[in-house]
């Protein structure tokens, strides 16, 4: 019962040991087992009894003969790392996920039932359910309250590429595939950052999203730019650390290699002064670039680096109180869907901030008096989201955001005019 690690790799096992996962019995036989490594065997089935290992944190069953993954995996309370690669799974979407997604996303997919019931599909089902409930309320005479709720929702209007005389395009070079493969972008117009502490709250919101939904920038990184300072067209590329130059926020121009060294020295100094292991600010993201021969970057039409994910943006496109139109960018080395989910949430949070600003929650005075939008009903004017195309070097479309299915995850709080 004291067993904590069990290493069974490379033994031609067709099943896990019988006593490991009992089908009955109130007590788990191995309450402390945290690591189970059974890669490179011939295991054909991983039973639902896997949830009988309450302390399991790491599971490796790569290169076996599994055809299904049990939904019970999602019930393992401490499972953080799982490797299912090299199994010919019947669910092809799940097979792609195990090769490119983090364990958390895979477990969410299994928890939702799999077979197309992932996060996006679950969100769409939620939208359909709400539409049915709304129609039932109207049919039963309860529609008035529902219409009041709908009117109170935040408004976002989408400007499609076909309606935009000068749509913004981001070209992706092949080199990003092995460094930080996924990027999603859009333009957001009609933001008001002038009154009170609106800009400070905007920056705090972005920091909180990095900590929460972006999981400390390990799954995705957000970058926000003043659109008026962005010189299109843009290129998402990679450059060697000793060639990539950027003017980081609040600093002078520096090579990426030197910036990371400088941040590392600052982190060490910070540790000594505070006498603790944890560091704050940009310093805690340095390890995300460990072992990379090239660093990802977003270049403007002049070849200047305006974004260096996951570390920093450029002073060149810095957002100020006067900024009204934003260029939003989310990058990830995990999955495209994570980029879209983060972008959905980012747009929702900006819309919420914008409404509270227009409703005069940030203060009063000349800033607010000069704002003609502060009359009755003005808080429900829609923000405009312009679609941005991400294309390869030949001009073939890779991503268009927002598409018809995007923003579904936040539809309960947003009314999207498509």
């Amino acid at each position: 019962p004291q067993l904590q690690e069990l290493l069974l790799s490379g033994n031609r096992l067709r099943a896990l040991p019988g006593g490991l996962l009992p089908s009955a019995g109130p007590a788990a036989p191995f309450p402390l087992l945290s690591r189970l490594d059974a890669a490179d065997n011939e295991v054909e089935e991983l039973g639902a009894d896997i949830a009988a290992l309450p302390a399991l944190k790491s599971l490796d069953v790569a290169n076996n003969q599994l055809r299904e993954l049990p939904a019970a995996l999602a019930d393992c309370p401490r499972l953080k790392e799982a490797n299912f690669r090299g199994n010919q799974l019947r669910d092809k979407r799940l097979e792609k996920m195990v090769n490119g997604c983090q364990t958390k996303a895979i477990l969410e997919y299994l928890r939702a039932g799999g077979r197309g019931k992932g996060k996006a599909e679950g969100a769409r089902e939620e939208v359909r359910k709400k539409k049915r409930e709304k129609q039932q309320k109207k049919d039963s005479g309860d529609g008035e309250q529902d219409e009041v709720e709908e009117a109170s929702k935040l408004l976002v209007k989408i400007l499609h590429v076909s309606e935009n005389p000068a749509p913004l395009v981001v070209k992706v070079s092949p080199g990003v595939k092995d460094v930080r493969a996924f990027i999603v972008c859009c333009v957001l117009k009609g933001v008001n950052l002038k009154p009170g502490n609106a800009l400070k709250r905007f920056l705090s919101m972005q920091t909180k999203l990095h900590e929460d939904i972006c999981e400390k920038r390990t799954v995705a990184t957000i970058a926000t730019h003043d659109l008026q300072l962005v010189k299109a067209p843009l290129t998402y590329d990679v450059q060697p650390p000793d060639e990539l130059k950027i003017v980081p926020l609040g600093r002078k121009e520096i090579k990426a290699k030197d910036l990371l060294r400088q941040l590392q020295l600052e982190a060490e100094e910070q540790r000594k002064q505070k006498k603790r292991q944890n560091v704050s600010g940009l310093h805690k993201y340095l390890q995300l670039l460990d072992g990379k021969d090239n660093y990802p970057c977003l270049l403007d039409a002049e070849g200047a680096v305006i974004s260096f994910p996951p570390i920093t943006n450029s002073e060149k496109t810095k957002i100020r109180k006067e900024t009204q139109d934003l260029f939003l960018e989310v990058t990830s080395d995990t999955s495209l869907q994570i980029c879209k989910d983060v972008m959905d949430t980012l747009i929702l949070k900006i819309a919420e901030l914008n409404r509270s600003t227009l409703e005069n929650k940030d203060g009063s005075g000349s800033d607010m008096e000069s704002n003609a939008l502060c009359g009755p009903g003005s808080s429900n004017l829609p923000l405009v989201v312009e679609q941005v195309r991400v294309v390869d070097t030949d001009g073939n479309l890779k991503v268009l955001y927002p598409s018809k299915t995007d923003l579904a995850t936040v539809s309960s709080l947003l009314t999207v005019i498509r």
Side-chain angles (χ1 to χ4, degrees):
Q2 301 301 311
L3 187 66
Q4 295 181 32
E5 294 188 356
L6 183 58
L7 311 180
L8 305 170
S9 290
N11 282 294
R12 299 186 183 176
L13 297 175
R14 294 188 178 178
L16 296 176
L20 185 66
L21 306 173
S23 55
F30 298 104
L32 303 181
L33 186 66
S34 62
R35 179 184 173 193
L36 175 57
D37 187 344
D40 302 303
N41 281 293
E42 298 172 12
V43 177
E44 297 176 355
E45 185 179 358
L46 195 62
D49 301 327
I50 192 76
L53 296 172
L56 188 65
K57 292 182 181 179
S58 174
L59 174 65
D60 190 348
V61 286
N63 303 317
N64 277 281
Q65 295 179 14
L66 298 174
R67 301 288 285 158
E68 304 277 356
L69 295 182
L73 279 168
D75 298 326
C76 292
R78 298 191 179 184
L79 188 59
K80 300 294 183 189
E81 298 177 8
N83 185 1
F84 305 112
R85 295 183 181 91
N87 289 287
Q88 295 185 345
L89 302 174
R90 288 193 181 93
D91 187 338
K92 294 306 172 187
R93 181 178 175 187
L94 180 58
E95 190 170 318
K96 287 183 179 179
M97 288 183 72
V98 302
N99 289 322
C101 291
Q102 289 204 337
T103 301
K104 184 178 178 182
I106 296 167
L107 295 182
E108 281 181 0
Y109 182 80
L110 292 172
R111 184 177 288 112
R115 291 287 179 183
K117 296 290 184 181
K119 189 183 285 185
E121 179 62 30
R124 286 194 286 272
E125 181 58 37
E126 188 67 22
V127 171
R128 288 193 285 268
K129 180 181 175 185
K130 283 182 177 162
K131 282 183 178 177
R132 288 195 297 270
E133 289 175 353
K134 182 179 172 182
Q135 190 59 47
Q136 286 169 0
K137 281 184 183 178
K138 285 186 177 179
D139 293 343
S140 62
D142 295 331
E144 188 174 331
Q145 176 63 30
D146 201 63
E147 286 175 10
V148 171
E149 289 176 6
E150 189 68 27
S152 69
K153 284 165 69 171
L154 299 152
L155 287 176
V156 168
K157 185 181 188 310
I158 294 176
L159 181 66
H160 296 267
V161 168
S162 58
E163 304 165 337
N164 192 343
L168 204 150
V169 177
V170 177
K171 186 176 287 187
V172 175
S173 75
V176 303
K177 183 179 178 183
D178 301 320
V179 179
R180 196 175 184 85
F182 307 103
I183 182 168
V184 167
C185 305
C186 71
V187 167
L188 190 62
K189 291 191 169 182
V191 176
N192 184 8
L193 299 174
K194 281 187 178 181
N197 63 351
L199 178 58
K200 184 178 178 182
R201 291 177 63 212
F202 174 87
L203 297 174
S204 297
M205 171 271 297
Q206 192 171 321
T207 300
K208 192 170 189 307
L209 289 179
H210 271 143
E211 290 292 310
D212 298 339
I213 192 172
C214 296
E215 297 182 24
K216 295 183 172 22
R217 303 197 193 189
T218 57
V219 298
T221 304
I222 297 164
T224 55
H225 309 266
D226 186 329
L227 181 67
Q228 303 305 316
L229 304 175
V230 173
K231 299 188 185 304
L234 301 175
T235 305
Y236 184 47
D237 202 355
V238 293
Q239 291 185 1
D242 55 351
E243 291 182 20
L244 194 160
K245 289 182 180 179
I246 186 170
V247 182
L249 291 169
R251 297 172 186 253
K252 295 179 180 179
E253 185 179 67
I254 189 172
K255 289 181 179 178
K257 179 180 67 174
D258 298 329
L259 173 62
L260 263 64
R261 187 185 298 120
Q262 193 177 95
L263 289 171
Q264 193 66 55
L265 292 172
E266 289 175 10
E268 292 301 324
E269 187 61 31
Q270 199 178 100
R271 283 193 190 97
K272 289 176 185 175
Q273 287 178 357
K274 298 189 177 180
K275 295 182 180 178
R276 63 186 187 189
Q277 286 300 308
N278 294 334
V279 291
S280 59
L282 296 179
H283 311 97
K284 56 188 173 184
Y285 306 121
L286 298 178
Q287 78 281 1
L288 298 177
L289 290 172
D290 285 352
K292 304 284 188 187
D293 294 327
N294 290 300
Y295 292 163
C297 56
L298 190 65
L299 306 160
D300 68 7
E302 298 174 341
V305 174
I306 64 170
S307 177
F308 171 27
I311 304 299
T312 185
N313 289 12
S314 169
E315 187 76 19
K316 184 175 183 181
T317 57
K318 181 180 177 179
I319 290 174
R320 296 168 174 80
K321 273 183 171 284
E322 295 72 32
T323 302
Q324 293 182 318
D325 303 334
L326 306 174
F327 173 66
L328 308 179
E329 157 212 343
V330 177
T331 59
S332 171
D333 61 359
T334 305
S335 80
L336 180 63
Q337 189 58 50
I338 283 173
C339 287
K340 291 188 168 195
D341 291 343
V342 171
M343 186 68 86
D344 287 357
T345 306
L346 176 62
I347 290 172
L348 170 64
K349 293 300 180 185
I350 294 174
E352 288 175 347
L353 282 177
N354 213 48
R355 170 184 277 187
S356 69
T357 300
L358 293 174
E359 286 177 347
N360 203 4
K361 288 181 181 176
D362 278 314
S364 57
S366 58
D367 273 339
M368 295 302 292
E369 288 166 9
S370 63
N371 187 352
L373 294 175
C374 288
S378 64
S379 62
N380 220 20
L381 287 171
L383 287 169
V384 176
V385 183
E386 291 186 5
Q387 288 181 321
V388 169
R389 296 169 69 241
V390 175
V391 301
D392 62 20
T393 49
D394 295 324
N396 300 311
L397 182 65
K398 290 174 69 70
V399 189
L400 175 69
Y401 183 92
S403 67
K404 290 179 181 178
T405 56
D406 294 325
L407 292 168
T409 56
V410 292
S411 61
S412 61
L413 299 166
L414 273 184
T415 295
V416 182
I417 306 168
R418 297 188 185 271

